[in-house]
Amino acid sequence: MVGAGVGLVAAGIAAGSLLGSALERRVLRRPLAEATERGLGFGTVHSPPLVVAADDGVQLYVEIDEPDPGVGGPTVVFCHGYALNLDCWHYQRLTMREGGVRCVYWDQRGHGRSGRGMPGPVGIDRLGHDLQAVLEATVPHGQPVVIVGHSMGGMTIMALADQRPEMFGDRIVGVALVSTSAGRLAEVTLGVPAAAARLMHRAGPGVVSALTHAPRLVELGRRTGNDLEFVLTRLYSFSSAVPPAVVDFVRQMNTATPIEVVADFFPAFDDHDKEAALPVLQKVETLVLVGADDKLTPADHSRQIALTVPGAELVVREDCGHMIMLEYPEEVDAHLAGLLDRAREP
């Protein structure tokens, strides 16, 4: 998730412990055990861990799915979004394994199992340097790379394009930008009236910062698993009637992200501006994929990216929100397969 949307959810997590009832929770939600019983197994698909040191020493958690020997093709590197972790690529990971594709999954700093680094604001440029470190440590020299980024992960790719344009078209042969933006996020209304959105953008950093000074309240709300938390997650993540277990999966990733990390990243989104780096992507096969009802990174932002990258494939999925790879996984997998086919061509 992005910016004020996650801040809103975080505030709801803290306040909602006073609002929810156990009966309503049983009606609205089902535990993640339901997902496991249905064979979904969210959060259970892993490979042996690898630790990659960023250039400032932060330890980044990485997993690599290796295909059978002799299988060729690019390595695909997946970059997750804000307040998520590498598990968000659950469905794509299963599909890539079936297809024998070499894939790298990593937790961005402060998220999942990666280290946080020094307390304080984290900019998108910092994430571009982290991605470069992951590429250098996990992709053999001379092997082509396709990078897939969701939300903040897409911004991470743009930061790398800004910092190391020579890598694109040479080492990096394909990019998928999923539910992301090149800038102007301070103008996003988050699905509320414009005046309320402006207030949220102004007050959001202060609210989230204040929550870092009340960790017991935040953790109480998270342990309670309140209804408001679930409703906000569904509102800002999905548009169609996804199973409750899928919503709860996203909720658990959000709430597993420390409130201090939420606060560290929060200011970066309104400051994010990588439109000038987009022409670099003309050198590679590019897929731009977004849900038509995305409240956090609206579809118009993806349309603008596609206009700036002539030749990019633009897919706007109707009846879909921000977490498109969990809401319509088969379609996302199909579009990623098409991108890989194009990237393999000379």
Side-chain angles (χ1 to χ4, degrees):
M1 289 186 172
V2 173
V6 170
L8 179 63
V9 173
I13 290 167
S17 61
L18 305 176
L19 302 177
S21 72
L23 175 61
E24 290 170 330
R25 285 196 293 276
R26 286 196 295 269
V27 172
L28 280 173
R29 293 195 289 108
R30 300 293 185 272
L32 275 182
E34 176 192 272
T36 302
E37 289 166 3
R38 296 174 58 191
L40 301 180
F42 292 134
T44 65
V45 183
H46 292 287
S47 296
L50 171 70
V51 175
V52 172
D55 59 10
D56 65 350
V58 170
Q59 303 292 289
L60 303 173
Y61 179 90
V62 179
E63 294 181 2
I64 304 175
D65 285 357
E66 297 280 4
D68 293 333
V71 177
T75 291
V76 184
V77 179
F78 287 86
C79 309
H80 68 77
Y82 183 39
L84 300 172
N85 60 54
L86 61 79
D87 289 333
C88 72
W89 301 108
H90 176 81
Y91 291 114
Q92 290 67 46
R93 191 166 191 172
L94 294 176
T95 299
M96 292 290 173
R97 283 186 172 187
E98 290 176 359
V101 180
R102 185 177 191 269
C103 293
V104 174
Y105 304 88
W106 64 294
D107 286 334
Q108 302 236 39
R109 63 173 55 215
H111 295 71
R113 303 161 188 83
S114 286
R116 177 185 176 193
M118 294 295 293
V122 179
I124 300 300
D125 285 338
R126 174 68 267 169
L127 304 182
H129 292 298
D130 290 351
L131 175 56
Q132 181 182 344
V134 170
L135 292 176
E136 291 176 350
T138 62
V139 183
H141 181 72
Q143 186 172 62
V145 183
V146 172
I147 313 178
V148 181
H150 170 256
S151 193
M152 185 180 76
M155 301 174 202
T156 301
I157 297 171
M158 297 176 208
L160 181 65
D162 189 32
Q163 296 158 4
R164 297 294 304 275
E166 73 280 3
M167 296 180 67
F168 291 76
D170 179 14
R171 191 174 191 189
I172 299 168
V173 297
V175 163
L177 300 176
V178 183
S179 303
T180 191
S181 171
R184 299 181 294 110
L185 286 169
E187 303 171 11
V188 175
T189 65
L190 302 167
V192 301
R198 287 193 295 269
L199 177 61
M200 290 166 61
H201 280 287
R202 287 197 302 269
V207 171
V208 175
S209 178
L211 288 173
T212 66
H213 301 294
R216 291 184 180 179
L217 176 61
V218 174
E219 292 309 315
L220 174 63
R222 288 176 166 179
R223 288 197 304 270
T224 305
N226 57 79
D227 302 336
L228 179 58
E229 173 190 342
F230 178 83
V231 170
L232 289 172
T233 301
R234 181 165 58 186
L235 175 66
Y236 282 97
S237 299
F238 305 101
S239 180
S240 63
V242 299
V246 179
V247 181
D248 207 45
F249 177 45
V250 176
R251 181 196 65 82
Q252 289 208 11
M253 287 188 285
N254 289 168
T255 57
T257 306
I259 190 63
E260 294 83 3
V261 172
V262 173
D264 286 348
F265 282 81
F266 195 94
F269 300 105
D270 282 359
D271 296 337
H272 169 61
D273 181 2
K274 292 299 179 190
E275 291 186 9
L278 292 178
V280 173
L281 303 184
Q282 295 180 41
K283 299 187 290 184
V284 304
E285 292 293 337
T286 301
L287 167 67
V288 183
L289 185 60
V290 69
D293 301 326
D294 192 330
K295 296 179 177 64
L296 299 177
T297 52
D300 282 348
H301 288 232
S302 287
R303 293 188 180 99
Q304 185 59 45
I305 291 172
L307 285 174
T308 312
V309 186
E313 179 187 11
L314 172 66
V315 179
V316 180
R317 208 315 174 171
E318 298 298 324
D319 195 25
C320 180
H322 190 61
M323 297 298 295
I324 186 171
M325 68 279 204
L326 291 171
E327 192 164 8
Y328 292 100
E330 295 87 356
E331 295 183 30
V332 171
D333 293 351
H335 288 296
L336 290 179
L339 174 66
L340 284 176
D341 287 342
R342 297 193 298 275
R344 289 189 183 103
E345 296 176 359

